Amino acid sequence: MQKNILVLYYTQTGQLEDIVKNIAQPFEDKKDEFAVTYYNIKLKEDFPFPWPSDVFFNTFPESYLQIPREIVPPPEEVLNKKFDLIIFGYQVWYLTPSIPIISFLKSGYAENILKDTPVVTVSGTRNMWMLSQEKLKVYLKNLNAKLVGNIALVDRHDNYTSVLTILRWLTTGKKEKSGLLPAAGISDKEISGAGKYGEIIKRHFEDNDWQNLQPDLVENGAVEIRPFLVRVEKVGNKIFTVWSNLIIKKKEKRPLLIKFFKVYLMAAIWIISPIVLVFHILLAPILRSKRQKQKKYLQGINLK
């Protein structure tokens, strides 16, 4: 009897779709054993790509505060089938799962699809996904899903280079290398090689050994934790909380506040972030043990 696999995701550029399809390929190769269904989440009113700069920054408060939009109902083949495994691909917007993902999770359809089902989350991001994953863990727990694994693929370039390339990609649609800047996003090699994680997932699925899946994924490079970026994310979440609530509250001043936020965000990336890095390095000997515990936790799937 075939086992049913759902590959659920939202993508604008197609990068995440390539990742999750490569991860699902080992299941596709065994069509006598597995039936794979793909569900690309759709909003009734979707976001543009490439993003006009004003639209991109204007999306910030609703994104960070996890305010949903209405989604197109999932197809019948998704709603009326019980799945044995869900591969859940998501993007990170403003240190939070993207609005389309939040919209699905809050839609009323999510619980019926996710309830009592093993879920492997897959993110394809610039580099800061750790605390977004913590937020997603809460949703999955509340929806009675069983988080059994996590894969986090990132842009391997340094933090500042990746800022420039991702902004170029989002606002112009140009991913390829240009001038002194490398290609944006996750490398083609890592995307094409993501099938190895699918092989690992399939093996644990066949052995009914979910308990050891995440350690196996981590050992094979599925999750990299950069302690400095965890610190940046923590600071960023505190600041974003203030800014997002201020913009939502002061509706009449929103256009002006969005402009101030844009300037602040650029200053934070290029000025405040290096200061945080200096303190991170200076405190390394004192906080080594704490950071190791934090790293181990964030590489895992448990929720504090």
Side-chain angles (χ1 to χ4, degrees), residues 248-263:
I248 290 293
K249 184 178 180 180
K250 301 291 186 179
K251 294 181 180 179
E252 72 285 357
K253 295 182 178 179
R254 179 172 180 134
L256 181 61
L257 289 171
I258 290 292
K259 289 180 180 179
F260 283 143
F261 169 73
K262 179 179 178 179
V263 172

Side-chain angles (χ1 to χ4, degrees), residues 1 47 64 67-68 72 79 120 125 131 136 140 143 155 196 212 218 221 231 239 246-247 297:
M1 184 176 177
F47 294 95
Y64 183 75
I67 298 173
V72 175
L79 290 174
V120 176
T125 66
L131 299 189
L136 184 56
L140 294 176
L143 292 167
D155 186 331
K196 70 177 182 180
N212 293 308
V218 171
R231 182 60 188 162
I239 295 169
L246 177 64
I247 294 169
Y297 168 73

Side-chain angles (χ1 to χ4, degrees), residues 58-287:
N58 198 44
T59 303
F60 157 68
E62 285 77 12
S63 181
Y64 183 75
L65 293 174
Q66 301 163 51
I67 298 173
R69 290 190 173 194
E70 191 173 1
I71 68 168
V72 175
E76 292 298 319
E77 63 176 341
V78 173
L79 290 174
N80 297 328
K81 188 182 292 184
K82 176 59 181 173
F83 293 96
D84 300 289
L85 171 66
I86 295 174
I87 297 172
F88 191 133
Y90 76 100
Q91 297 171 311
V92 175
W93 294 3
Y94 293 106
L95 307 181
T96 304
S98 69
I99 288 177
I101 291 296
I102 292 298
S103 300
F104 166 73
L105 292 169
K106 291 186 173 183
S107 67
Y109 301 111
E111 185 168 13
N112 288 336
I113 296 170
L114 297 170
K115 186 178 181 181
D116 300 325
T117 305
V119 174
V120 176
T121 50
V122 180
S123 58
T125 66
R126 184 174 73 88
N127 57 22
M128 287 188 275
W129 59 269
M130 287 77 74
L131 299 189
S132 179
Q133 177 72 6
E134 292 300 293
K135 297 171 186 178
L136 184 56
K137 285 180 185 178
V138 174
Y139 280 101
L140 294 176
K141 179 181 179 181
N142 291 339
L143 292 167
N144 297 303
K146 300 177 181 177
L147 180 61
V148 297
N150 178 48
I151 298 165
L153 300 187
V154 299
D155 186 331
R156 300 288 180 180
H157 293 98
D158 68 83
N159 191 39
Y160 307 108
T161 299
S162 64
V163 168
L164 295 174
T165 57
I166 197 68
L167 286 175
R168 179 193 60 189
W169 191 12
L170 292 178
T171 58
T172 69
K174 295 179 181 178
K175 179 183 180 181
E176 63 275 8
K177 178 180 177 181
S178 62
L180 297 176
L181 292 178
I186 298 156
S187 72
D188 291 341
K189 182 179 180 181
E190 286 202 62
I191 293 173
S192 61
K196 70 177 182 180
Y197 302 124
E199 292 287 357
I200 294 169
I201 296 167
K202 184 169 75 69
R203 184 170 70 249
H204 285 268
F205 182 101
E206 292 171 335
D207 294 341
N208 195 28
D209 179 25
W210 294 126
Q211 183 175 354
N212 293 308
L213 171 60
Q214 189 60 19
D216 203 354
L217 288 172
V218 171
E219 187 177 337
N220 283 275
V223 181
E224 177 189 350
I225 303 296
R226 304 183 198 179
F228 161 61
L229 293 178
V230 177
R231 182 60 188 162
V232 172
E233 280 198 63
K234 287 184 175 181
V235 173
N237 270 273
K238 291 178 181 178
I239 295 169
F240 280 8
T241 298
V242 174
W243 272 104
S244 58
N245 282 292
L246 177 64
I247 294 169
I248 290 293
K249 184 178 180 180
K250 301 291 186 179
K251 294 181 180 179
E252 72 285 357
K253 295 182 178 179
R254 179 172 180 134
L256 181 61
L257 289 171
I258 290 292
K259 289 180 180 179
F260 283 143
F261 169 73
K262 179 179 178 179
V263 172
Y264 172 82
L265 184 59
M266 293 299 103
I269 291 171
W270 297 102
I271 300 173
I272 299 175
S273 180
I275 295 172
V276 174
L277 176 58
V278 170
F279 279 99
H280 175 82
I281 294 171
L282 292 175
L283 293 173
I286 301 172
L287 299 177

